[in-house]
């Protein structure tokens, strides 16, 4: 999205409810035509951001710019923005076609144009032929598609989705994640999606904003968020993470350092300047760890000795919980390989844990600078 233009900007937004400050000097840019996801735990302020964009809440101060026009004081019904809610909010007494065309009828669009645009919207969500059905005759996934069709038929500049897949079962949810992304690409509408589900955020988004306590923690592509978390909150919130605490002992080449982790010296790269003596966290995802079976003391001085606490078969992988001699507990994830005689470790078996240099991600310990 490097060449994309900014479509929507929130600038220094302040929002509180009573004595509770939810957003303070909150700023955000969203590009035209991107699938942007706001991700965070319950109570972090992500739904408040969505409701401010939609016009359902008013900011105490700050600007909301859409195509460079400030819409902060514009009523919700006059904003070129539509929202798909978690509850679908379909009218039970109306047919699918009537539900989808409701907004157009309120806007006094001609019957002929309504019929055409409803048909086009239902085709996009793969519900052609369902025009006469009532909501109670639809599955959860079909109701979700009707809600999306009702939103896109209005041709909004921005489509907001508030936890829109959370009511679906896991398999249908995965299917709808793919379909939502396909719909967004086909229409080219800017989607702003709010969720607490990391898998949804990573699988659908062009960019992700991770929030906590009303503040942005990191904005980036799904890969950047997962592989290069900016601080410990992002690292811990996105998937599983293994943390090795260390101290920078020496600087090697540019942005390459020797880190002492409990007596084990590892060469680690960083994305920013570190000083000798800095305390750091060396982060590795479970799939980045390598486990080796040992009988005697290991020869590799670049790894860590531990024992197997638990093994879990997940289908594609075997997840192993390992207790290190230094007291740390790690989680490793390996692709299942029944042909490897050393693969099926037993409980309490001694193992050697290491990783390939360069697979780690280093952040400075302490508050985010």
């Amino acid at each position: 999205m490097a060449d994309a233009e900014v479509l929507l900007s929130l600038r220094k937004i302040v929002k509180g409810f009573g004595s509770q400050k939810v957003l303070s000097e909150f700023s955000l840019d969203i590009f035209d035509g991107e699938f942007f996801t706001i991700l965070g735990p319950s109570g972090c302020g992500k739904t408040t951001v969505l409701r401010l964009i939609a016009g359902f809440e008013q900011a105490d101060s700050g600007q909301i710019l859409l195509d460079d026009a400030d819409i902060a004081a514009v009523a919700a019904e006059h904003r070129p923005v539509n929202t798909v809610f978690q509850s679908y909010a379909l009218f039970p007494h109306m047919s699918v076609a009537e539900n989808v065309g409701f907004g157009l009828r309120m806007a006094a669009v001609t019957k002929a144009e309504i019929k055409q645009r409803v048909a086009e919207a239902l085709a996009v969500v793969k519900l052609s032929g369902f025009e006469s059905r009532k909501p109670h005759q639809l599955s959860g996934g079909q109701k979700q598609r009707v809600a999306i069709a009702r939103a896109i038929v209005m041709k909004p500049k921005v489509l907001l989705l508030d936890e829109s897949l959370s009511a679906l079962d896991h398999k249908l949810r995965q299917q709808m994640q793919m379909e939502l992304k396909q719909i967004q690409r086909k229409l080219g509408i800017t989607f702003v999606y709010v969720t607490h589900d990391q898998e949804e955020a990573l699988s659908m988004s062009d960019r992700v904003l991770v929030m906590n306590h009303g503040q942005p923690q990191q904005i980036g592509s799904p890969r950047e968020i997962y592989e290069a978390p900016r601080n410990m909150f992002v690292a811990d919130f996105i998937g599983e993470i293994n943390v090795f605490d260390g101290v920078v002992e020496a600087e090697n080449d540019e942005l390459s350092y020797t880190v002492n982790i409990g007596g084990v010296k590892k060469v680690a790269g960083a994305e920013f300047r570190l000083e000798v003596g800095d305390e750091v966290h060396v982060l590795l995802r479970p799939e980045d760890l390598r486990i080796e079976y040992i009988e005697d003391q290991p020869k590799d001085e670049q790894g860590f000795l531990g024992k197997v606490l638990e093994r879990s078969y997940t289908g594609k992988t075997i997840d192993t919980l390992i207790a290190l001699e230094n007291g740390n507990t790690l989680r490793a994830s390996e692709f299942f390989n029944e042909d490897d005689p050393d693969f099926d470790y037993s409980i309490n078996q001694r193992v050697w844990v290491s990783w390939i240099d360069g697979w780690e991600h280093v952040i400075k310990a302490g508050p985010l600078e």
Side-chain angles (χ1 to χ4, degrees):
M1 306 297 296
D3 299 327
E5 296 183 357
V6 173
L7 175 68
L8 178 66
S9 288
L10 282 72
R11 297 184 180 174
K12 296 185 177 180
I13 294 293
V14 175
K15 178 62 180 177
F17 296 98
S19 61
Q20 182 183 8
K21 188 79 71 177
V22 178
L23 301 174
S24 180
E25 298 290 311
F26 179 89
S27 295
L28 173 66
D29 287 336
I30 297 174
F31 297 129
D32 187 19
E34 76 171 327
F35 198 123
F36 188 89
T37 296
I38 304 175
L39 173 68
S42 297
C44 73
K46 59 186 184 296
T47 296
T48 299
V49 172
L50 202 76
R51 291 179 63 82
L52 287 167
I53 297 171
F56 302 142
E57 300 286 354
Q58 298 299 313
D60 299 331
S61 63
Q63 292 180 301
I64 301 175
L65 303 178
L66 183 60
D67 271 346
D68 294 325
D70 192 350
I71 62 170
V74 176
E77 61 269 23
H78 297 306
R79 298 187 185 191
V81 173
N82 272 64
T83 306
V84 178
F85 299 99
Q86 179 180 344
S87 61
Y88 313 136
L90 302 180
F91 298 110
H93 62 286
M94 292 185 185
S95 68
V96 166
E98 289 169 337
N99 266 285
V100 175
F102 179 78
L104 297 174
R105 291 196 299 277
M106 294 299 99
V109 176
T110 65
K111 289 184 179 180
E113 185 176 351
I114 290 175
K115 184 176 181 180
Q116 179 184 346
R117 286 170 62 174
V118 167
E120 291 171 352
L122 289 176
V124 168
V125 299
K126 302 177 183 177
L127 282 181
S128 297
F130 285 71
E131 288 83 354
S132 61
R133 295 197 189 184
K134 296 290 181 65
H136 73 271
Q137 297 173 309
L138 303 175
S139 68
Q142 289 167 343
K143 290 177 183 177
Q144 181 66 75
R145 290 185 180 92
V146 173
I148 294 168
R150 185 177 58 185
I152 65 176
V153 78
M154 301 301 295
K155 299 182 178 179
K157 289 185 177 180
V158 180
L159 182 63
L160 309 175
L161 302 104
D162 185 12
E163 303 273 8
S164 299
L165 305 183
S166 61
L168 305 178
D169 64 57
H170 180 69
K171 190 170 184 178
L172 183 55
R173 194 168 180 166
Q174 288 184 315
Q175 178 184 336
M176 284 302 301
Q177 288 170 13
M178 296 184 63
E179 291 192 11
L180 262 183
K181 184 59 182 174
Q182 290 169 354
I183 289 169
Q184 191 270 335
R185 285 177 175 167
K186 183 174 182 177
L187 297 176
I189 296 173
T190 300
F191 277 29
V192 180
Y193 191 90
V194 161
T195 185
H196 63 273
D197 188 293
Q198 306 145 33
E199 181 183 338
E200 284 186 354
L202 297 179
S203 65
M204 294 193 296
S205 313
D206 295 313
R207 289 192 304 149
V208 178
L209 160 65
V210 182
M211 284 185 67
N212 191 35
H213 298 309
Q215 292 297 324
Q217 300 296 308
Q218 185 172 353
I219 300 176
S221 69
R223 184 170 182 176
E224 289 169 343
I225 295 291
Y226 185 79
E227 295 185 4
R230 194 176 174 214
N231 59 25
M232 278 306 301
F233 174 80
V234 178
D236 190 54
F237 188 74
I238 305 294
E240 298 279 352
I241 197 73
N242 296 300
V243 183
F244 295 83
D245 294 330
V247 177
V248 176
E249 193 168 275
E251 182 175 358
N252 306 320
D253 300 327
E254 185 176 359
L255 298 182
S256 174
Y257 303 90
T258 298
V259 179
N260 189 321
I261 306 173
V264 177
K265 297 180 181 181
K266 297 286 289 183
V267 175
E271 297 180 356
F272 46 86
R273 185 81 178 180
L274 293 170
E275 303 291 339
V276 172
D278 282 348
E279 296 182 356
V280 295
H281 300 305
V282 180
L283 310 178
L284 290 115
R285 297 293 181 184
E287 61 270 22
D288 293 332
L289 294 181
R290 304 178 71 185
I291 307 174
E292 297 178 60
Y293 169 78
I294 58 171
E295 292 181 352
D296 302 315
Q297 283 294 328
K299 299 178 182 179
D300 185 355
E301 296 180 355
Q302 296 300 304
F304 301 84
L305 186 65
K307 69 175 181 178
V308 174
L309 294 180
E310 193 59 68
R311 297 271 282 171
S312 302
Y313 173 70
T314 66
K316 292 182 180 179
T317 62
I318 293 284
D319 292 347
T320 306
L321 194 64
I322 302 164
L324 298 185
E325 287 191 326
N326 63 12
N328 284 1
T329 301
L330 307 178
R331 187 176 299 275
S333 181
E334 303 171 283
F335 283 107
F336 184 65
N337 182 7
E338 61 183 359
D339 296 326
D340 184 350
D342 293 333
F343 186 78
D344 194 17
Y345 315 110
S346 57
I347 304 301
N348 292 323
Q349 183 171 330
R350 295 168 71 237
V351 291
W352 189 238
V353 180
S354 61
W355 62 86
I356 295 175
D357 289 346
W359 286 13
E360 73 287 329
H361 178 68
V362 177
I363 63 174
K364 198 170 181 179
L368 181 63
E369 297 181 349

